[in-house]
Amino acid sequence: MQKKILDLIKKKNKSKIVSLTAYSMNVASIIDKYCDIVLVGDSLGSVLYNFSSTKKVTLDMMIEHSKSVRMGIKKSLMVVDMPYGTYKNSNEALKNARKIISKTKCDAIKLEGGKKVVQIIKTLIENKIPVMGHLGVLPQSATSFKFKGKEIAERKIILRDSKLLEEAGVFSIVLECVESSLAKEITKTVKVPTIGIGASAYCDGQVLVTDDLIGLNKIKARFVKRYSNVEKQINDAVLKFKKDVVTNKFPTKKHSY
């Protein structure tokens, strides 16, 4: 197992894990300084392409953005989402995961689901491809984005799936919009780190979509906290540029050849 992954696992119960998304070198090079994990998420479908669902994200899209992200990462563990429809069975998953890793030089891949994908995960890990799991709300298959774990039957399934993923060999599990007490129970039960998004502070770490964090996305989700307002900063900069152009203050001799 890679040293980066072993170091990440050792953080469980010791220090919190920080993770954010990136889809380009410029953003990756900034967040790499502060993150343990940089995730090239299929959330790029809605964030960059205005897709109504992550199901429209293609393997080639993920690969091209990941190649850019790779250039911006020096220290973080780089994980790439396997997009919808690319791991329907073990053979297909192995072929596509190998393609992602060979073309992007990422450290690991992430896929969604529990019991249904356990054998696929085992196949990937047997072939030395590190896997991050993902339980709770699964954007690639979700029909609604209500939080998970309110009903007893649902709680039992998610808890069971977390144990199955651990046994299959995942090095961490993303818990998306999982009820707090269930997230706490899973985190205590499994030996690998849990990474929460809308799943309480009980998780071993947290992940957010960077565009949400910096205020560049208008998403209104309970789990999002905006730490900046980049939209306003861009608006202010463009307005100043327009005024300078219209009043002939730009370009000056300093900005001309």
Side-chain angles (χ1 to χ4, degrees):
M1 195 177 284
Q2 299 174 26
K3 185 179 183 300
K4 282 184 181 179
I5 291 175
L6 289 172
D7 289 343
L8 186 83
I9 294 171
K10 288 176 184 176
K11 281 180 170 282
K12 187 173 179 75
N13 301 322
K14 291 182 181 177
S15 59
K16 292 288 187 177
I17 294 165
V18 178
S19 178
L20 287 169
T21 63
Y23 318 116
S24 67
M25 180 190 75
N26 290 344
V27 171
S29 63
I30 296 169
I31 68 174
D32 177 58
K33 291 177 280 188
Y34 310 104
C35 287
D36 300 295
I37 303 168
V38 172
L39 172 67
V40 187
D42 59 3
S43 50
L44 65 84
S46 56
V47 174
L48 298 183
Y49 294 93
N50 201 33
F51 292 161
S52 58
S53 163
T54 59
K55 290 182 180 180
K56 296 180 181 179
V57 174
T58 66
L59 189 66
D60 286 342
M61 281 179 185
M62 293 303 300
I63 287 171
E64 291 309 311
H65 283 282
S66 297
K67 283 159 69 174
S68 178
V69 168
R70 179 74 267 176
M71 291 188 285
I73 294 180
K74 292 181 179 178
K75 73 166 189 66
S76 303
L77 184 76
M78 178 179 166
V79 181
V80 176
D81 267 341
M82 290 195 74
Y84 175 77
T86 62
Y87 52 98
K88 291 188 287 246
N89 57 62
S90 294
N91 289 337
E92 185 181 47
L94 183 58
K95 181 187 78 171
N96 289 325
R98 279 174 169 164
K99 184 175 181 181
I100 290 171
I101 289 174
S102 67
K103 288 186 175 292
T104 71
K105 311 304 179 193
C106 68
D107 300 300
I109 57 96
K110 179 170 79 65
L111 46 81
E112 298 179 4
K115 187 176 181 180
K116 289 182 180 178
V117 295
V118 165
Q119 188 52 54
I120 291 170
I121 290 171
K122 286 180 179 178
T123 298
L124 295 176
I125 292 170
E126 284 167 4
N127 284 274
K128 303 205 170 7
I129 295 173
V131 178
M132 174 184 275
H134 185 143
L135 296 174
V137 170
L138 307 177
Q140 292 180 6
S141 57
T143 53
S144 70
F145 282 80
K146 293 179 181 178
F147 78 93
K148 302 293 182 181
K150 185 178 180 181
E151 305 298 330
I152 291 174
E154 190 174 63
R155 291 174 72 91
K156 286 181 178 178
I157 290 170
I158 296 172
L159 182 59
R160 176 208 68 188
D161 283 349
S162 69
K163 293 174 182 175
L164 288 174
L165 292 188
E166 180 187 21
E167 289 167 5
V170 299
F171 66 87
S172 63
I173 303 171
V174 169
L175 298 179
E176 181 164 356
C177 298
V178 171
E179 192 272 334
S180 296
S181 65
L182 177 58
K184 182 179 183 180
E185 185 176 1
I186 291 170
T187 302
K188 281 188 172 183
T189 301
V190 299
K191 294 176 182 176
V192 296
T194 57
I195 313 295
I197 177 165
S200 84
Y202 293 120
C203 295
D204 296 301
Q206 300 294 326
V207 62
L208 278 180
V209 171
T210 300
D211 293 61
D212 297 345
L213 175 147
I214 63 176
L216 199 55
N217 214 7
K218 294 188 186 300
I219 185 173
K220 292 181 179 178
R222 182 170 176 171
F223 57 80
V224 171
K225 180 177 179 180
R226 287 183 174 82
Y227 288 82
S228 182
N229 191 347
V230 170
E231 182 182 15
K232 183 180 184 301
Q233 292 173 332
I234 293 172
N235 187 81
D236 292 348
V238 173
L239 179 59
K240 287 177 184 176
F241 170 68
K242 178 184 177 181
K243 286 179 179 178
D244 281 0
V245 171
V246 170
T247 58
N248 211 31
K249 290 181 180 178
F250 179 85
T252 61
K253 285 185 178 180
K254 180 182 177 181
H255 298 101
S256 302
Y257 292 97

